[in-house]
Amino acid sequence: MDYNGNETSGRPMAWEQAENMRRALSACLTRVFMWMFAALVVTGFTALIVANSNALTVLVFGNPVIFYGLLIVEIGLVFGISAGMNKLSSGAAAALFFVYAAVNGLTLSVVFIVYELGTIYAAFGICAVMFAVMAGFGAVTKKDLSSVGSLLFMALIGLIAASLVNFFLQSEMLDYLVCYAGILIFVGLTAYDTQRTKKMLASAVEAGQEEAVRKISVIGALSLYLDFINLFLKILRLLGKRR
């Protein structure tokens, strides 16, 4: 009761509901990062196996048909998971996500073949710190990053175009510019994708849609996984100490 003798039980009840919502959302967002981390482990483990096997290395990189076929499979899986999220069950989406992580590990095994381990560890450490900072920012900031996300997406298209051009030009200067621009873009996308995933989870949690929550967790983990991998590759290319 308040000082006038009126009931105030609604206030603590509303606070308790808000606190329960906050905890549920926090648990869901934690699940997203756990999915992402598990996928990174699958990718890293697969890459190490291929890099340490001469037979597998020759199989993946010695035959252009197989290598480019794997790249096409990767692209197909990403679009398949994203576009088919409404039709796929959360279990099927998660399974495809980990298949993608394993296939990505096959092609990314070239990292362990081309670069020195010290350079890989350094790039991974720098990437992990940058990713954690920006993901944390995206999770707690009150500023709407939607407009920033649109700009970053357009910048990403420009980055892809510049990379294709440099594939033919082989310009070292343009290569450095692409790497620096890529780092800025994927750092920004990390914050944006974290906030976007959090908003989607909040809507699903509030509506009590458990299956939607699980699906959003998978698609959010996929987005953040892609941000991490691309950020890592750009940093690794800048450090550039090869075997």
Side-chain angles (χ1 to χ4, degrees):
M1 300 178 70
D2 61 16
Y3 291 117
N4 297 318
N6 299 318
E7 291 288 340
T8 58
S9 59
R11 294 177 186 174
M13 185 178 295
W15 179 87
E16 184 177 352
Q17 289 175 343
E19 183 64 16
N20 289 338
M21 175 68 178
R22 186 193 66 79
R23 289 178 180 175
L25 183 56
S26 178
C28 290
L29 200 56
T30 299
R31 182 194 303 170
V32 171
F33 287 108
M34 289 179 64
W35 280 113
M36 187 206 80
F37 178 76
L40 287 174
V41 170
V42 170
T43 298
F45 187 67
T46 304
L48 278 172
I49 290 176
V50 175
N52 287 296
S53 169
N54 289 331
L56 289 175
T57 300
V58 171
L59 177 65
V60 173
F61 300 105
N63 189 330
V65 174
I66 292 179
F67 178 74
Y68 288 108
L70 289 172
L71 293 180
I72 293 172
V73 169
E74 287 182 40
I75 296 172
L77 284 170
V78 170
F79 281 103
I81 296 171
S82 301
M85 187 54 68
N86 291 331
K87 297 180 180 180
L88 293 171
S89 67
S90 57
L96 289 176
F97 178 34
F98 282 104
V99 169
Y100 169 74
V103 175
N104 203 27
L106 294 175
T107 55
L108 287 182
S109 60
V110 69
V111 165
F112 291 98
I113 298 170
V114 174
Y115 293 94
E116 294 184 355
L117 282 178
T119 306
I120 296 172
Y121 293 148
F124 186 87
I126 295 170
C127 177
V129 171
M130 295 175 71
F131 181 90
V133 169
M134 296 310 296
F137 172 76
V140 302
T141 184
K142 301 299 182 183
K143 179 179 175 59
D144 186 3
L145 301 177
S146 299
S147 58
V148 176
S150 299
L151 291 174
L152 289 172
F153 182 73
M154 289 188 291
L156 180 59
I157 294 175
L159 184 73
I160 295 172
S163 299
L164 290 174
V165 169
N166 201 42
F167 178 79
F168 299 101
L169 294 181
Q170 295 295 309
S171 169
E172 186 175 351
M173 179 61 69
L174 182 56
D175 188 46
Y176 277 114
L177 290 175
V178 166
C179 286
Y180 281 116
I183 289 172
L184 292 175
I185 290 170
F186 288 109
V187 160
L189 283 174
T190 297
Y192 166 73
D193 285 332
T194 301
Q195 185 184 77
R196 181 172 62 94
T197 300
K198 182 180 178 181
K199 287 180 178 179
M200 293 169 64
L201 285 171
S203 297
V205 169
E206 190 173 4
Q209 300 172 333
E210 294 184 8
E211 178 66 6
V213 169
R214 287 191 286 267
K215 288 184 178 182
I216 293 167
S217 297
V218 174
I219 198 67
L222 174 61
S223 297
L224 291 168
Y225 169 91
L226 291 172
D227 293 337
F228 188 98
I229 290 292
N230 282 285
L231 181 59
F232 165 71
L233 291 175
K234 296 303 180 187
I235 294 172
L236 181 64
R237 192 163 182 82
L238 271 185
L239 295 180
K241 193 171 184 180
R242 305 188 177 196
R243 293 180 185 276

